[in-house]
Amino acid sequence: YNWDVPVTESEIAVINSGLLDYEKSWAMQREIHQSVVEGATNTLVLIEHPSVYTAGRRTDLLERPQDGTPVIDVDRGGRITWHGPGQIVGYPIVRLEKKNELVGFVRNLEEAIIETLAEFGITGISIAGKTGVWIKDENGERKICAIGIRVAKGVTMHGFALNVCPDLIHFDHIVPCGMPEAETTSMQKELKRTISIEEVTPVIQKHMVKALARVSKLEP
């Protein structure tokens, strides 16, 4: 794989891999996951994918695109979602301090996303019973970040997808995360101005590393 040399911050190594095919990145994830299980440094991968739909274990047949668009079935929780250019996808691959505390881990990810959005003047929130980060105002609820996690051997896989400036039309072909009532939004749409992946990446990296350090374990 052609990724950058990890940058160690606290006990979290960070890999900014740029644009990478989803299936190649999934293989990379599995490789890093195994190394972390065996004692390597906890790692956060920040990545951007070419356009692809991925379906978690709870995806219903009717939630899939009906136009023949390819869908990759993956072993994370959650349902179907889209990944593509303009979206920061993060894979935190860390040993959990509390091996089975998945809900608390997801809440930490949500908090880091909310703190990131706040730096750009966007008010994100968690909603009880709904995973991910949302915008809520007089125009209703809109999802800005999807989260889907798997834990194997006490180490996390998969992660979050923050919509920075993607073409949101891709979400029209699916029922995102199994919620037909949920509109999908992006930072660019909420801010009503152009914003780039490069602008957001260092901010999300800062908050995510801090959050992961709180819930991760150094040694196996």
Side-chain angles (χ1 to χ4, degrees):
Y1 302 106
N2 189 20
W3 61 74
D4 296 341
V5 175
V7 180
T8 302
E9 300 188 32
S10 179
E11 60 265 38
I12 311 293
V14 180
I15 297 171
N16 285 287
S17 73
L19 190 71
L20 186 63
D21 174 80
Y22 184 85
E23 290 183 302
K24 287 182 181 175
S25 78
W26 193 11
M28 179 179 83
Q29 254 198 96
R30 292 195 297 269
E31 186 179 301
I32 296 172
H33 180 274
Q34 184 56 37
S35 69
V36 172
V37 167
E38 292 170 359
T41 305
N42 292 313
T43 301
L44 170 65
V45 179
L46 294 175
I47 203 164
E48 199 176 357
H49 292 305
S51 185
V52 64
Y53 291 101
T54 70
R57 291 187 301 263
R58 294 174 53 232
T59 303
D60 292 333
L61 185 61
L62 291 177
E63 292 166 4
R64 293 169 178 264
Q66 303 300 308
D67 59 359
T69 302
V71 177
I72 298 174
D73 290 287
V74 292
D75 58 353
R76 61 167 167 78
R79 300 188 184 228
I80 196 165
T81 194
W82 173 83
H83 298 310
Q87 186 185 70
I88 296 176
V89 178
Y91 298 124
I93 307 172
V94 299
R95 283 181 296 276
L96 292 181
E97 186 70 51
K98 299 176 180 176
K99 282 192 176 183
N100 300 313
E101 186 39 43
L102 185 55
V103 173
F105 178 73
V106 169
R107 293 293 166 263
N108 270 272
L109 297 186
E110 290 173 351
E111 187 178 321
I113 299 294
I114 288 167
E115 289 170 350
T116 299
L117 293 172
E119 290 210 27
F120 293 91
I122 298 171
T123 303
I125 61 168
S126 296
I127 296 179
K130 296 182 179 181
T131 303
V133 176
W134 302 74
I135 311 293
K136 188 175 182 178
D137 56 22
E138 66 278 2
N139 297 315
E141 295 175 0
R142 303 180 296 287
K143 193 168 195 174
I144 197 165
C145 181
I147 296 177
I149 299 293
R150 179 182 177 223
V151 180
K153 299 178 181 176
V155 176
T156 60
M157 288 185 79
H158 301 291
F160 63 86
L162 174 63
N163 295 327
V164 177
C165 53
D167 184 346
L168 294 171
I169 197 168
H170 296 286
F171 291 100
D172 294 342
H173 303 302
I174 58 171
V175 180
C177 305
M179 297 179 183
E181 77 286 357
E183 183 187 341
T184 303
T185 191
S186 67
M187 294 178 69
Q188 184 159 287
K189 185 174 180 180
E190 296 298 322
L191 291 170
K192 297 180 175 62
R193 72 167 175 87
T194 300
I195 188 169
S196 69
I197 294 286
E198 292 72 24
E199 199 177 337
V200 179
T201 296
V203 182
I204 199 168
Q205 178 174 316
K206 174 183 69 176
H207 289 294
M208 197 57 65
V209 163
K210 191 169 62 176
L212 295 176
R214 286 197 300 266
V215 297
S216 63
K217 183 180 178 185
L218 280 176
E219 301 296 332

